[in-house]
Amino acid sequence: MAAALAAPFALNGAVKMANSTTSQAYLDGSRVKESKTLIADLCRQFYTLGWVSGTGGSITTKVHDDSIPKPEQLIVMSPSGVQKERMVEDDMYVLSPSGSILSAPLPKPYPHKAPKCTDCAPLFLKAYHMRNAGAVIHSHGIESCLVTMINPFSKEFRITHMEMIKGIQGHGYYDELVVPIIENTAQESELTESLAEAIKAYPKTTAVLVRNHGIYVWGDNWISAKTQAECYHYLFDAAIKLHQLGMDWSTPTHGPIQSANGVLGNVRDAYRPTKATKIASENGTEPLKRCIVLDIEGTTTPISFVTDVLFPYARESVGKHLAATYETAETQDDIKLLRAQVQEDLANGVAGALPIPPEEAGKQDVIAAVVTNVEAMIKADRKITALKELQGHIWRTGFQNNELQSVVFEDVPEALERWHALGIKVYIYSSGSRLAQRLLFGNTNYGDLRKFLSGFFDTTVGNKKESKSYVEITESLGVDNPSEILFVTDVYQEATAAKAAGLEVAISIRPGNGPLPENHGFRTITSFSEI
């Protein structure tokens, strides 16, 4: 009898947990109290930063409890219309995960307003539900407002090569940070759908700017959200100051803002169609492209360098690299990726695939199996993320030890510099990892060329022979029309996929490149000087 009663109790544990979080005892408990106090403390700090003055802005956090999955944790939110620097824990609202109010503050005497939950609540819930956030900050900081006004037609804020970009989740110094901008409305709640659309359209973003208004920033927890909010405001302030100096914050060198006719005398002209662009449009000729996306192998770099230098180096060094770095988190992640790929290969009957034993089998057995699979993958020229990640880490060691120096065609450095001077942003899209791409262009026979590049794409955005990959790149670059992007590659299937996505395409004809189908229909170039 006892066993029969115990079973339903165990099966309904999740229900019991949910009910316990909505009990009065839990609402009055230490976890909720700590979250309320935290928000009051942060509001006072953000008030001094100018982010929440005039009762503007708002903050929310999940009630952290290790025994409860994050989606089921309660939510604490600051109220609307309360002086942020004078907030106390009793001013806070407590909401269920779905957004229903579980606890509200008591009214205060005149001149205080009647209590009201923040108008940002529906927007906060979107970040919680769509990104599994642990905390969200809404700031009215002047930097986040002004940066949306510099170019009133832009739908994005973009910046690259700034140290504080490293404080934004998933970004590094060389990456281009892209923050979507949505248009303001009279009522905060009316922003809900446009914010949700921006979150969906920009899967890598952790923030959304609202023009003439402010910013919403979220993170896995309150520390992540606060850290990122501080970094965003720093970067916005830097962009504003660079703009005042007539400098372009969105390019790697942050040099003078350029037009097709050279350095602009008035920074406001940076956002007007240039005379050259207008004439080209009127005459029916091709205007300057906003972006150029380049393949590497057979386009910027001889195929022979990849096949005769990089691949053999990786193949010969893989065992030594794994043995020397086996205990590191990076190498363990590489092995996990390869193990998952091999399991998929075995299921699909891929030739050369050999099971990689679990970690318990011992270091030597695991390494031996990984080496065998990697050699087979390299021999088959597999364009898979698991292989490319490991190769990138091996090549990094080679470049650091001066055992490798990358090669680019002689017309590449001049073209990159010329395009950069014209204000055209150049990106790389290669099957090699982003790390490998940065290493290649940072250590060329012509020096470090990364200052001319605005970003790197690899197979994490998709297979290079699938059109949806180029749609993803187009959305990331934020152009109004995919035809504003020129993609240059030596591979016919890649050219076809990019064209299907609406990009302009040119096929690179270089020594050692493979033949093209007859009547392929694409423009061909033998040098970047033709672009």
Side-chain angles (χ1 to χ4, degrees):
M1 184 71 173
L5 290 174
F9 180 83
L11 290 172
N12 294 328
V15 176
K16 178 178 180 292
M17 182 183 296
N19 291 337
S20 68
T21 61
T22 59
S23 68
Q24 194 59 47
Y26 193 89
L27 293 175
D28 293 338
S30 60
R31 296 187 186 279
V32 174
K33 180 181 175 67
E34 289 169 0
S35 297
K36 290 180 175 181
T37 302
L38 171 65
I39 289 183
D41 290 343
L42 290 175
C43 282
R44 284 191 288 273
Q45 180 180 354
F46 294 164
Y47 177 83
T48 63
L49 294 174
W51 294 3
V52 293
S53 58
T55 78
S58 192
I59 309 174
T60 177
T61 185
K62 289 288 186 78
V63 177
H64 179 72
D65 188 333
D66 287 329
S67 66
I68 302 172
K70 188 188 291 185
E72 299 173 18
Q73 292 172 357
L74 299 186
I75 299 167
V76 176
M77 285 189 191
S78 60
S80 177
V82 177
Q83 301 291 325
K84 296 297 191 294
E85 78 280 14
R86 298 181 65 83
M87 277 191 180
V88 295
E89 64 181 66
D90 290 340
D91 291 321
M92 305 302 164
Y93 282 79
V94 182
L95 283 66
S96 71
S98 64
S100 59
I101 295 176
L102 303 177
S103 174
L106 297 173
K108 293 182 179 180
Y110 180 84
H112 297 283
K113 296 181 179 180
K116 178 186 176 185
C117 190
T118 174
D119 293 332
C120 303
L123 292 94
F124 287 155
L125 290 172
K126 287 295 184 183
Y128 282 136
H129 295 159
M130 297 179 71
R131 289 298 174 83
N132 195 28
V136 191
I137 296 169
H138 175 43
S139 163
H140 283 190
I142 190 64
E143 308 96 327
S144 62
C145 182
L146 292 178
V147 81
T148 68
M149 302 167 69
I150 296 175
N151 178 3
F153 304 105
S154 176
K155 299 299 183 182
E156 299 170 332
F157 167 81
R158 292 173 172 269
I159 193 167
T160 187
H161 286 64
M162 292 286 286
E163 180 68 13
M164 293 295 271
I165 294 176
K166 291 160 61 175
I168 306 301
Q169 181 179 314
H171 290 76
Y173 172 77
Y174 296 109
D175 293 327
E176 183 180 44
L177 174 66
V178 182
V179 185
I181 302 173
I182 62 177
E183 300 304 320
N184 195 28
T185 57
Q187 301 297 323
E188 195 109 15
S189 60
E190 295 173 357
L191 293 167
T192 306
E193 291 309 312
S194 55
L195 179 112
E197 290 173 4
I199 291 175
K200 183 178 179 180
Y202 292 80
K204 297 178 183 178
T205 191
T206 55
V208 173
L209 282 160
V210 184
R211 199 181 314 279
N212 306 345
H213 183 148
I215 188 173
Y216 286 85
V217 182
W218 56 87
D220 293 335
N221 50 59
W222 72 268
I223 294 176
S224 172
K226 175 179 178 290
T227 300
Q228 292 185 93
E230 291 169 349
C231 291
Y232 279 118
H233 282 77
Y234 175 96
L235 293 167
F236 298 154
D237 186 45
I240 292 166
K241 288 183 169 65
L242 286 168
H243 175 75
Q244 292 170 337
L245 294 170
M247 300 169 69
D248 188 353
W249 63 87
S250 65
T251 60
T253 57
H254 304 142
I257 294 175
Q258 305 279 338
S259 75
N261 297 324
V263 179
L264 293 166
N266 186 331
V267 294
R268 291 176 298 179
D269 292 337
Y271 307 108
R272 298 174 182 169
T274 64
K275 182 178 180 181
T277 303
K278 290 179 179 178
I279 293 174
S281 178
E282 292 167 0
N283 292 342
T285 58
E286 181 183 9
L288 289 170
K289 296 299 176 188
R290 285 183 57 187
C291 305
I292 296 176
V293 178
L294 301 173
D295 172 47
I296 294 179
E297 187 178 354
T299 301
T300 67
T301 299
I303 290 178
S304 58
F305 173 73
V306 178
T307 58
D308 299 343
V309 179
L310 287 183
F311 284 177
Y313 183 89
R315 185 173 57 249
E316 295 164 7
S317 304
V318 61
K320 179 175 64 175
H321 172 82
L322 292 173
T325 63
Y326 188 80
E327 285 76 20
T328 66
E330 182 178 81
T331 293
Q332 286 299 311
D333 287 342
D334 287 344
I335 292 174
K336 288 178 183 176
L337 277 175
L338 284 162
R339 184 180 285 114
Q341 180 64 56
V342 168
Q343 289 174 346
E344 181 181 331
D345 290 347
L346 289 168
N348 294 329
V350 175
L354 175 74
I356 299 176
E359 186 177 351
E360 294 75 18
K363 176 178 177 179
Q364 297 305 320
D365 288 347
V366 172
I367 290 177
V370 170
V371 169
T372 300
N373 281 284
V374 168
E375 288 177 346
M377 291 173 177
I378 292 176
K379 183 177 180 180
D381 194 18
R382 298 281 299 280
K383 309 293 187 182
I384 48 177
T385 300
L387 173 63
K388 298 305 179 180
E389 287 292 319
L390 176 60
Q391 284 178 321
H393 297 147
I394 294 172
W395 291 330
R396 178 179 59 198
T397 300
F399 283 111
Q400 290 173 344
N401 295 340
N402 294 318
E403 296 171 349
L404 291 172
Q405 182 184 57
S406 57
V407 177
V408 296
F409 293 110
E410 61 180 2
D411 55 279
V412 171
E414 181 181 350
L416 292 179
E417 185 173 5
R418 174 167 51 85
W419 295 333
H420 177 68
L422 290 171
I424 300 172
K425 294 183 179 180
V426 182
Y427 301 84
I428 302 300
Y429 181 29
S430 171
S431 57
S433 67
R434 294 195 302 169
L435 169 62
Q437 295 174 36
R438 290 194 291 265
L439 289 169
L440 191 150
F441 287 99
N443 300 273
T444 79
N445 50 328
Y446 291 93
D448 189 345
L449 301 178
R450 291 174 299 179
K451 59 181 176 289
F452 302 123
L453 301 174
S454 294
F456 303 89
F457 296 99
D458 59 16
T459 51
T460 57
V461 304
N463 189 294
K464 294 185 70 183
K465 296 179 182 179
E466 296 180 0
S467 61
K468 62 182 181 181
S469 305
Y470 299 91
V471 172
E472 174 68 22
I473 290 175
T474 299
E475 292 177 350
S476 298
L477 298 186
V479 296
D480 294 326
N481 191 306
S483 64
E484 296 177 60
I485 304 172
L486 173 65
F487 176 56
V488 186
T489 180
D490 67 309
V491 179
Y492 171 73
Q493 293 89 339
E494 294 176 7
T496 301
K499 181 180 179 181
L503 280 68
E504 293 292 323
V505 178
I507 292 185
S508 173
I509 306 296
R510 301 282 197 178
N513 287 8
L516 294 172
E518 292 185 13
N519 303 318
H520 54 76
F522 288 100
R523 170 191 175 190
T524 61
I525 60 168
T526 58
S527 168
F528 284 177
S529 63
E530 300 172 40
I531 301 176

